[in-house]
Amino acid sequence: MKDFTKEFDKLLSLVSSKEPFAFSRFSDGEVTILRNKKLTLGDGFFVQADVHGENPYKVPENTYPEEERKHFDPESDSKFQKRLVESFVFKKRNYFKGIPPQNGIFDTNHSWSFCVGLYGDKDHEHLSFTNVMINDNYKRFIYEMLPVFKNKKIVLVSNENSDLSNLPFDIVKHFPIGSNCIKNNLDLVEECKVWIQENGIKDHIFLFSASSLSNILCYELYKDFDNNQYLDIGSSLGPFLKLEGWRATRDYLNVFWSSPNNPPAQEVDIWN
């Protein structure tokens, strides 16, 4: 059993310390790829084969602007799927993976059971909630974790359209990514490794907002350079970066930013 609030406490404690770690989020899209099923976020439609089948599921136009679009095809992208599986099953001290909870849409799709089975270890010390920094914990992310970032040397990986001027902390390096980064920006893994090696980078915290590429980056960089902190933050900084993709698809952001001074309660994730 894991507690949603206590899992945030653990992550906050790590971020507040100088102890190296990595936290990688395997949400519903990552689970679809782990299952080797087709995933497409397109213009007015999406395909999530393990949830809706192979046929396109229609959504309003502009639901997925360019920054949100991606495509995974099991036939042509098998190498990426294998790398994602490798990143999930890899085990190392302080290498944590967030997986879907046992409530909501995830439970009906049995994603929690699938992830636990794929992990293949009865010791779940290094497993947590994929949503540990969002849903009802998002207010704590904003008011407790973001202030910690102000005292960190931050490296950010995010969309090329990100406006960095509104961030509530400084960054020392920005690695931009484009649309469908899981295919088009895989070379970023090696680019980051070279930058870390050549500049002797240590005691930095890397923030990843790069879809499933974030998982590969967390894994590859922590595996080879475990003297930094690596944190998959998903879309949590979208409003600060003045990106628009979150407006149509991220309920937790819309709910919080509708009343940030008095945020309504949101979903609490469950792990029994």
Side-chain angles (χ1 to χ4, degrees), residues 231-266:
L231 187 62
D232 180 354
I233 59 169
S235 300
S236 58
L237 292 180
F240 293 100
L241 298 173
K242 298 183 180 178
L243 299 172
E244 296 297 321
W246 59 273
R247 294 188 183 278
T249 59
R250 303 294 190 272
D251 288 344
Y252 77 94
L253 289 173
N254 283 288
V255 170
F256 177 86
W257 290 108
S258 68
S259 182
N261 293 323
N262 186 25
Q266 299 199 59

Side-chain angles (χ1 to χ4, degrees), residues 7 36 69 150 187 213 215 259:
E7 288 300 299
N36 208 29
R69 292 177 193 172
K150 293 179 181 180
D187 57 344
L213 180 59
N215 306 91
S259 182

